[in-house]
């Protein structure tokens, strides 16, 4: 059963294109006291993991639309091009559930009014971030891309020690 739910009440906690730079700086400032050392970015050890850049989260007409995903889309495209140019792995985690009650955990049941079902067009990557042949696509059935997926194994197999 799909029902339209007003998610605007939680959108205030998310970023927008206008607030992206300011909120990112604020988040980094809040984390700064906890950083014991500043890691050096090494492209030759890094992989890009794109999380949930799917039609259902980026289409304003879809009930799971999220303004924060739309706000970072252009930067995700830039990062994807950067990693591809550097011949580094680009991986995709995409929410793809088998059924309404089969593999939706309690968090997703409470948060989402509908479930992105496997093999439906709404769970495809958006056109701007279509996987290229050889790029890994990892279906996930829970909120985390690591829970019950092979994401960690894939990263280890690729020799990745840094994730963007």
């Amino acid at each position: 059963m799909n029902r339209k739910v007003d998610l605007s009440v939680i959108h205030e906690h998310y970023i927008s294109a206008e607030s992206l730079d300011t909120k990112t700086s604020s988040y980094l400032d809040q984390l700064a006291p906890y950083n014991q050392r500043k890691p050096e970015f090494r492209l030759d050890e890094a992989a890009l993991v794109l999380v949930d850049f799917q039609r259902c989260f980026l289409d304003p007409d879809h009930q799971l639309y999220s303004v924060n995903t739309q706000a970072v889309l252009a930067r995700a495209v830039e990062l994807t091009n950067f990693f591809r140019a550097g011949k580094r792995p680009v991986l995709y985690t995409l929410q793809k559930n088998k059924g309404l009650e089969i593999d939706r955990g309690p968090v997703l049941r409470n948060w989402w009014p509908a479930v992105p079902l496997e093999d439906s067009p709404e769970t495809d990557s958006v056109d701007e971030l279509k996987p290229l042949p050889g790029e890994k696509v990892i279906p996930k059935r829970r909120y985390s891309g690591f829970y019950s997926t092979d994401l960690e194994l894939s990263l280890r197999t690729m020799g990745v020690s840094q994730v963007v």
Side-chain angles (χ1 to χ4, degrees):
M1 171 171 113
N2 287 345
R3 62 186 186 347
K4 189 78 168 171
V5 173
D6 181 13
L7 298 178
S8 64
V9 294
I10 62 169
H11 285 174
E12 66 189 11
H13 301 291
Y14 288 99
I15 55 174
S16 66
E18 296 77 29
S19 69
L20 180 59
D21 291 330
T22 304
K23 286 202 174 189
T24 300
S25 290
S26 173
Y27 296 149
L28 291 174
D29 288 345
Q30 291 174 42
L31 293 173
Y34 304 100
N35 290 331
Q36 299 298 312
R37 63 181 177 83
K38 184 173 178 157
E40 179 185 330
F41 176 70
R42 295 184 45 90
L43 181 61
D44 61 325
E45 296 178 9
L48 177 63
V49 178
L50 297 165
V51 179
D52 294 342
F53 281 95
Q54 300 170 251
R55 292 180 180 168
C56 57
F57 300 123
L58 281 137
D59 178 358
D61 293 328
H62 195 280
Q63 56 190 340
L64 296 178
Y65 171 68
S66 177
V67 294
N68 59 313
T69 306
Q70 191 65 252
V72 298
L73 178 60
R75 291 192 188 176
V77 170
E78 286 178 38
L79 279 170
T80 302
N81 292 335
F82 175 78
F83 273 77
R84 287 174 176 166
K87 303 209 181 312
R88 295 304 302 156
V90 176
L91 299 91
Y92 301 75
T93 65
L94 302 175
Q95 189 72 40
K96 291 179 177 265
N97 297 91
K98 289 199 174 285
L100 294 174
E101 299 301 328
I102 294 173
D103 48 22
R104 235 171 61 146
V107 172
L108 294 183
R109 231 176 259 125
N110 290 331
W111 284 1
W112 291 356
V115 60
L117 293 174
E118 184 175 74
D119 298 326
S120 66
E122 67 185 4
T123 63
D124 289 343
S125 294
V126 292
D127 291 339
E128 297 91 333
L129 292 172
K130 286 284 184 203
L132 296 179
E135 291 179 335
K136 178 100 175 167
V137 176
I138 300 168
K140 62 185 183 116
R141 306 198 195 297
R142 293 290 197 272
Y143 195 68
S144 171
F146 287 98
Y147 184 79
S148 293
T149 71
D150 66 348
L151 177 56
E152 180 183 3
L153 176 63
S154 297
L155 294 169
R156 288 183 188 278
T157 301
M158 294 174 187
V160 171
S161 64
Q162 296 184 357
V163 176
V164 175

